[in-house]
Amino acid sequence: MIKRTFYALTLLLILCVSSIQAQNTKFSKEEFRNRQKEFFIQQAGLSNDEAQKFFPLYFELQDKKQAYNKEAWQKLRQGKNPNTTETEYGKIVEDVIQARIAADELELEYVRKYKQFLPAKKIYLLQKAEMRFHRELLKGFKHGQKGPEKKK
């Protein structure tokens, strides 16, 4: 349970940092998604047909997960009020966890959709590419770049 919570918090942080990066450096959502596409296609070896089927679903999933993450952050902000009671904190904690669980269930639903046109190995490679993309994005922040550099 702790690992799952840590994973969810890390993913939430990455998504928030990604949106901040897009806002602060004129790194548009479209540009971010185009870089993701290029990176994922290269890392997972997607064909044009696979990419055309995968990315609309993937970005639909990301938009839905962003809504859950926004909900979780709104709940967490409620705890900033110094008059928040112990009972209210308990409700906030449970609501945040429920939002994460809903996002995870949604992710599982979409993985099942991907399986209709992608082999499991490519789904695995896409998951791995997603983690690597976000890791390199964070490294880029550290070095003042706008995300993973394109390999030449």
Side-chain angles (χ1 to χ4, degrees):
M1 182 66 185
I2 292 173
K3 280 186 177 183
R4 185 178 179 142
T5 302
F6 176 76
Y7 175 76
L9 281 173
T10 303
L11 187 58
L12 185 63
L13 174 66
I14 290 169
L15 290 173
C16 290
V17 170
S18 299
S19 66
I20 291 169
Q21 173 70 9
Q23 293 169 0
N24 289 342
T25 61
K26 298 181 182 175
F27 195 53
S28 72
K29 185 175 183 177
E30 183 178 310
E31 184 180 358
F32 178 82
R33 287 184 170 186
N34 284 336
R35 285 188 182 219
Q36 270 186 316
K37 278 183 183 181
E38 291 174 23
F39 192 83
F40 289 8
I41 289 169
Q42 181 215 10
Q43 295 290 310
L46 295 180
S47 69
N48 286 337
D49 184 51
E50 291 169 333
Q52 285 179 347
K53 291 176 183 175
F54 172 74
F55 285 108
L57 283 174
Y58 176 76
F59 292 134
E60 179 181 296
L61 169 63
Q62 296 311 306
D63 291 340
K64 289 178 179 180
K65 283 173 48 178
Q66 184 178 16
Y68 284 118
N69 290 333
K70 184 178 179 180
E71 177 184 331
W73 276 110
Q74 287 172 341
K75 297 289 183 182
L76 288 171
R77 284 188 200 103
Q78 292 174 1
K80 287 184 176 183
N81 182 343
N83 298 324
T84 304
T85 67
E86 188 66 20
T87 303
E88 290 170 328
Y89 278 123
K91 177 81 169 118
I92 290 168
V93 169
E94 287 187 22
D95 288 347
V96 169
I97 291 169
Q98 287 300 324
R100 290 183 196 142
I101 290 170
D104 287 344
E105 288 172 348
L106 188 64
E107 182 127 21
L108 182 58
E109 175 187 328
Y110 275 77
V111 165
R112 289 177 178 143
K113 289 179 182 182
Y114 304 152
K115 284 182 177 180
Q116 294 175 8
F117 59 88
L118 285 175
K121 183 176 181 179
K122 285 205 178 176
I123 295 170
Y124 164 80
L125 292 172
L126 284 161
Q127 289 175 328
K128 192 173 169 185
E130 182 177 30
M131 287 188 250
R132 182 174 288 143
F133 180 83
H134 290 296
R135 185 172 49 242
E136 289 189 21
L137 184 70
L138 290 172
K139 282 182 193 175
F141 289 147
K142 186 176 178 182
H143 302 322
Q145 301 168 353
K146 287 174 85 176
E149 292 298 312
K150 295 179 186 173
K151 305 243 177 188
K152 295 179 181 172

